[in-house]
Amino acid sequence: MPIFQLVLVALIQGITEFLPVSSSGHLILLPGLTGLEDQGQLIDVAAHIGTLTAVVIYFWSDVRIGLLGLPHLMRGRADTPGSKLALGLVIATIPTVIFGAILHFTGLSDALRSIAVIGWTMLGFGVVLYIADQKGSTSKDASDWGPKDALLMGLWQMLALIPGTSRSGITITGARQLGYNRTDGARISMLMSIPVIVASGVLLGSGMAIEANTAVIRDAGIVALLSMLSALLALSLMMRLLRSVSFTPYVIYRILLGLVLLVVAYSS
């Protein structure tokens, strides 16, 4: 694959994965709107591995606490901050795994990969994010996150399997609707991405990696590295901006892009 396309895929994934604008939607649109060859699922998985590495690095203190809590959770105890966090992440991941299996075995996952679907989800969930962000209170912080809120945010997260929804956008919407402040809502959202990306990477990437040739593996490595670097930059910038800026700029972008995509979808 041309190095230009690899860089483009990596930058799109890295910049949009943690912004509430849908990285998967942008990756699906790339070949459709530019005429470039579809990068394929292995490259997509590599890009997600890069962003996974970025979120682990950026939130390492939280990740470390969660990892240290796993032994307690495996013994059936959730009585430490780490085990409570690990339990919440497990609960939040279950709805996505179930919904993902339904989409996969019914064939709906392929049917949803269209410009029209992405246009509607960009527009619709952008409006939902705006309402939740403007109306939601800021009475909760990350320490209030428990099993009930984890399940509710997990139900929001499963909707991200519909292209154009945005995993970070929909989980941040859920967090704001539950009353979490912007910074901690985004922080919980990013931590929720870790098991989801790991699960999808193992499911989609293991078999393809075994069958891939040296050139494809090299391309995947390039994409993973560049995605990680661009994601670290985008994540750092967004978390800083959230201290003083709402999600409205992202909402405006989603609505404008959604309207453009709907015009393209229904005029062709």
Side-chain angles (χ1 to χ4, degrees):
M1 187 175 294
I3 188 66
F4 167 75
Q5 188 173 356
L6 293 176
V7 172
L8 200 57
V9 168
L11 291 179
I12 290 174
Q13 171 65 22
I15 293 172
T16 61
E17 172 66 21
F18 301 120
L19 303 183
V21 295
S22 179
S23 61
S24 61
H26 283 78
L27 288 177
I28 292 171
L29 290 172
L30 178 61
L33 296 181
T34 63
L36 293 171
E37 179 184 356
D38 191 297
Q39 61 271 8
Q41 278 194 326
L42 183 58
I43 297 298
D44 283 354
V45 169
H48 280 82
I49 290 174
T51 52
L52 168 65
T53 305
V55 76
V56 169
I57 292 172
Y58 191 87
F59 291 104
W60 174 244
S61 59
D62 294 299
V63 172
R64 181 176 177 274
I65 290 172
L67 289 174
L68 291 175
L70 277 177
H72 291 268
L73 185 61
M74 293 175 68
R75 291 195 295 268
R77 297 166 54 191
D79 53 357
T80 65
S83 58
K84 290 177 181 178
L85 174 60
L87 176 62
L89 293 178
V90 170
I91 292 173
T93 304
I94 292 173
T96 303
V97 172
I98 294 173
F99 190 47
I102 293 172
L103 293 180
H104 177 72
F105 289 111
T106 59
L108 286 174
S109 56
D110 292 328
L112 292 172
R113 293 171 65 93
S114 72
I115 291 178
V117 169
I118 296 173
W120 282 115
T121 51
M122 278 283 181
L123 179 60
F125 287 120
V127 173
V128 173
L129 172 60
Y130 178 79
I131 294 173
D133 187 41
Q134 295 298 311
K135 302 295 183 180
S137 69
T138 56
S139 58
K140 294 182 180 180
D141 58 32
S143 63
D144 296 310
W145 201 56
K148 180 181 177 181
D149 284 358
L151 177 59
L152 292 173
M153 287 184 66
L155 292 172
W156 282 96
Q157 181 171 244
M158 74 179 187
L159 297 176
L161 295 176
I162 304 173
T165 300
S166 171
R167 195 214 59 81
S168 62
I170 201 67
T171 50
I172 288 171
T173 297
R176 293 291 295 120
Q177 189 272 331
L178 289 169
Y180 288 90
N181 62 65
R182 292 187 180 105
T183 302
D184 280 10
R187 176 181 163 198
I188 295 169
S189 168
M190 302 313 156
L191 292 173
M192 284 173 59
S193 74
I194 295 174
V196 170
I197 296 175
V198 170
S200 63
V202 171
L203 178 64
L204 298 175
S206 56
M208 290 183 291
I210 294 173
E211 299 175 0
N213 57 42
T214 305
V216 174
I217 293 176
R218 178 206 62 201
D219 288 353
I222 293 172
V223 168
L225 176 61
L226 293 177
S227 294
M228 180 193 71
L229 295 175
S230 56
L232 275 173
L233 179 61
L235 185 55
S236 177
L237 180 61
M238 186 188 77
M239 295 303 291
R240 290 184 182 184
L241 286 176
L242 286 182
R243 298 169 188 166
S244 56
V245 180
S246 71
F247 290 103
T248 301
Y250 305 111
V251 170
I252 293 173
Y253 173 79
R254 288 186 65 108
I255 290 175
L256 292 176
L257 179 57
L259 290 173
V260 171
L261 293 177
L262 290 175
V263 170
V264 171
Y266 293 109
S267 62
S268 57

